Amino acid sequence: MNLLEDILVLDFSQFLSGPSASLRLADMGARVIKIEKPEEGDICRELYVSDVDIEGESTIFHAINRNKESYVADLKVESDLKKIKELIKEADVVMHNFRPGVMERLGLNYEVVRELNPSIVYAEISGYGEDSPWRNLPGQDLLLQAVSGLTWLSNNEGAMPTPMGVAVVDILAGAHTTQGILAALYQRTLKNTSALVQVSMFESILDFQFEVLTCFYNDGEELPRRGHTNNAHAYVSAPYGIYKTSDSCLALAMGDIQQLARLLNCNGLLSFTNKKEWFTKRDEIKSVLAAHLLTNTTEFWLRILQPADIWCAPVYDYEVLRKQEGYKALNMEMEVKTSNGIAITTTRCPIKVDGEYLTSSIGAPFLGEHTAIINSEFSLSKV
Amino acid sequence: MNNLPLEGLVVLEFSQYLSGPSAGLRLADLGARVIKIERPGSGDACRQLAIKNLWAEDGSSLLFHTINRNKESFTANLKDANDLALVKQLIEKADVVTHNFRPGIMEKAGISYADAIAINPRIIYAEISGYGTEGPWKALPGQDLLLQAISGLAYTTGNEDDLPVPFGIAIADIICGAHLVQGVLAALIRRQKKGIGARIEVNLLASLLDFQFELFTTYFASKKLPQRSRSNNGHTLLSAPYGIYETADGYIAIAMVELKQLSEGLACKELLMYAQTEAFSLRNEIKELIALHVKEQSSLYWLELLHSYGIWAMPVMTWKEMKSHPAYQSLLMEQKILSGKNEIITTRCPIRYNHQRLYSGKAAPGLGANTGSILQELKTVKA
């Protein structure tokens, strides 16, 4: 079942983009060793969010770094660097997300590493790419959302530019890095050569927008216009959006306005017979719908719409979602335990292999938890 | 492009719309030969789905062309015994099958996982569903906005008093497609070592839950639902100032920074009233204070000042502003595709491989464009 059995990954990366990639590799069966600097380690260990921590470390560090080992090395100290170079000889993958130039200065850039290990897969994530005038700026999620035009796609027209409330750039750059690493590892099974995989957060967030950017490139560079009300996608017709009901909210995807008018008994919609108007007059249509949907509960509307195969759904928060049978059927939650017994609940890998979920009960490592073991396993103390 | 990592692999894509086809596009750009298996007459339903009424010369939408470039098309009526036999011959020769039909459809067609693996024991059979194959939601349509609504995602974005705000890009489809690629590639690596095929299953809901794994893990630990800030919300888990702020002439994004440093970077002494330990609990009033202050000067003014203090901040750009910026241009992200006599500009694959940017000028196929030549290949192989 372990798809990536016997694959050894040395992960020099921090925060989310790189570590989310190595988490996926770990869940699919690779052994991942985090190489961390002494004393503080991955800065994410200290990134407390919303005043929630687990035994002095941030919850998100535990979520991102479960199922990994931690090895401490000061890459500026010759003896530590030597050990790392020995370790690299045994590894299949080296990955990092330092700013361009840092690994060169440390003497661990691709050209050097390839000399040490001619079949290495070397992956790097930058913020803006190596040739960019911004190459030395921090590759930070919100900032990449800001410069890539992404913030003009969500929320209603008239609202401020609205960032997506999940670190989407980090996560996509991580996903693309995983794809590149795996493609290279596949090629290595045929050719046994090294490979360099490079991803930048900027390229990744542009790729994310490839459908709407292509529209922009080919349509005289017209900027997206969000709907004035209930906007869910700047380019999609009414009714596409989320609406308030008398007790909560309701999401409506693509649908026939005439059919909706009849089913919902909403006479105000009957005049919109021309399909083209469902886009050009989407604000008007949505306003009529919004007023009408306010008059009854989400459950009431769903009972009418779902049997008619209208694409609709309730809008859940985490608490309500967690109570649903449909959620429970996914078995998405799992418990992991650190070596000193701290247990946390987190989510499993979303990929199912040969009918089985990929789960692991191993929690995140303490800083340097595996240094001694790895030194002895790979005979690094003598180096 | 030469020496692409997935050269020699054949992928049969039974998928439609975005989730599966975006995975096929990535595999194609990394070197695989991707053949869309489409029903005669209409094909992939995305061919008829246009945004902004943009169509390519062959009558398919620009949207379809964006997602399906670099692929071939083979038409087959899976309800016709002869066609089905041909498809089974293709499965025998293929490395990967992908589909995103609702659970049960491929079984009815006679090309379930069990059928495929019986024909070709080395096949990687990869499936996307909306909600998984078990539980009360399994038959519901897997549509992006509805998954955003169900999964709690819409409560991460926008401000406290906004309705739930969906992401303005099809995040569920795209992230699920990315996970499918990861599973397929990892399974191909195992196949090279062990000679066996695999069944890979992902679903939109699990992928969106994974996407929110930091938020869920924090929620499981704290039992506190994510709360969007009253204004300038950037991320529900992060302290002030994290967010986007209006300036005298535009908008800027400010990421993580300690309040003391920010008070210097914004020349705003009032910020010193707040202790760093209050940056989350009092984020609403702190953000309101920052918002008032930032409005007084231009974006450029603030960015120069903030950058001089090393504070993580960037301008909020539209696509037009981005496109004219050297940082965007340095990526060489655009590529031209010739479709008939028309040029289409779109984005390239975001992954760079051995210092190569992966371009492909091959346009999306007309419906069944390659049926004849593929049939010929099948005959040649047989003879």
Side-chain angles (χ1 to χ4, degrees), chain A residues 107-118:
Chain A
L108 289 173
N109 48 318
Y110 174 56
E111 287 69 26
V112 174
V113 167
R114 187 172 54 175
E115 288 291 310
L116 294 168
N117 182 342

Side-chain angles (χ1 to χ4, degrees), chain A residues 1 3 5 7 16 24 49-52 59-60 63-64 128 130-134 137-138 140 142-143 146-149 151-155 160-166 171 175-176 178-179 182-187 189-191 195-198 202-203 206-212 214-219 221-222 224 232-233 235 240-241 249 251-253 311-312 314-319 321-322 324 326 329-330 332-333 345-347 350-354, chain B residues 3-5 9 18 26 52 54 63 66-67 131 134-137 141 143 145-146 149-152 155-157 162 164-169 171 174 178-179 181-182 185-186 189-190 192-194 198-201 203 205-206 209-220 222 225-226 232-233 235 237 242-244 251 253-256 280 312 314-317 319-320 322-323 325 327-328 330-331 333-334 344-348 350-355 357:
Chain A
M1 215 188 90
L3 299 178
E5 206 174 281
I7 299 288
L16 178 58
R24 183 60 35 80
V49 292
S50 70
D51 296 346
V52 182
T59 47
I60 63 171
I64 305 165
Y128 298 98
E130 294 70 31
D131 308 323
S132 174
W134 287 345
L137 293 179
Q140 196 284 328
L142 176 68
L143 306 185
V147 299
S148 66
T151 61
W152 297 103
L153 294 171
S154 305
N155 217 340
M160 298 248 300
T162 302
M164 295 178 172
V166 176
I171 287 175
H176 297 157
T178 305
Q179 294 173 344
L182 292 171
L185 285 171
Y186 168 76
Q187 189 180 38
T189 65
L190 302 170
K191 296 194 174 170
L196 174 65
V197 172
Q198 291 170 298
F202 203 0
E203 288 163 293
L206 293 174
D207 174 69
F208 180 50
Q209 302 174 77
F210 78 128
E211 297 173 288
V212 284
T214 299
C215 183
F216 168 75
Y217 294 147
N218 295 284
D219 194 26
E221 304 200 351
E222 230 183 295
H233 195 297
Y235 294 84
Y240 206 77
C249 291
L252 281 172
W311 288 3
C312 58
V315 184
Y316 293 144
D317 61 27
Y318 292 169
E319 193 181 353
L321 170 67
R322 224 177 162 197
Q324 307 299 316
L330 279 186
M332 201 63 198
E333 295 179 21
T345 303
T346 186
T347 52
I351 303 167
K352 203 173 177 185
V353 179
D354 297 334
Chain B
N3 202 20
L4 290 172
L9 290 173
L18 177 59
R26 182 60 36 81
K52 293 192 78 181
L54 294 172
L63 185 65
T66 306
I67 306 166
Y131 299 84
E134 291 149 46
W137 291 345
Q143 197 284 329
L145 176 63
L146 306 185
I150 291 275
S151 69
Y155 283 102
T156 65
T157 300
D162 290 336
V165 175
F167 284 23
I169 299 267
I171 178 70
I174 285 177
H179 293 160
V181 171
Q182 295 172 348
L185 293 176
I189 292 166
R190 181 180 71 173
Q192 294 305 104
K193 292 179 183 168
K194 305 219 163 134
R199 181 180 201 179
I200 300 295
E201 292 168 90
N203 65 71
L205 182 54
L209 297 175
D210 172 69
F211 178 60
Q212 300 172 79
F213 77 127
E214 295 182 291
L215 287 153
F216 271 105
T217 306
T218 303
Y219 170 68
F220 296 152
S222 71
L225 284 173
N232 312 87
N233 182 62
H235 194 295
L237 297 180
Y242 202 86
I244 286 176
Y251 301 90
I254 308 175
M256 302 92 164
F280 185 79
W312 293 5
M314 287 301 264
V316 174
M317 293 188 171
W319 288 336
K320 263 190 187 158
M322 174 185 83
K323 205 165 171 277
H325 198 284
Y328 170 83
S330 74
L331 296 177
M333 195 67 192
E334 296 171 25
I344 294 172
I345 302 168
T346 187
T347 51
R348 63 168 166 83
I351 302 166
R352 282 165 285 141
Y353 196 67
N354 292 335
H355 296 293
R357 292 181 172 89

Side-chain angles (χ1 to χ4, degrees), chain B residues 360-372:
Chain B
S360 162
K362 189 168 150 187
L367 180 59
N370 311 92
T371 308

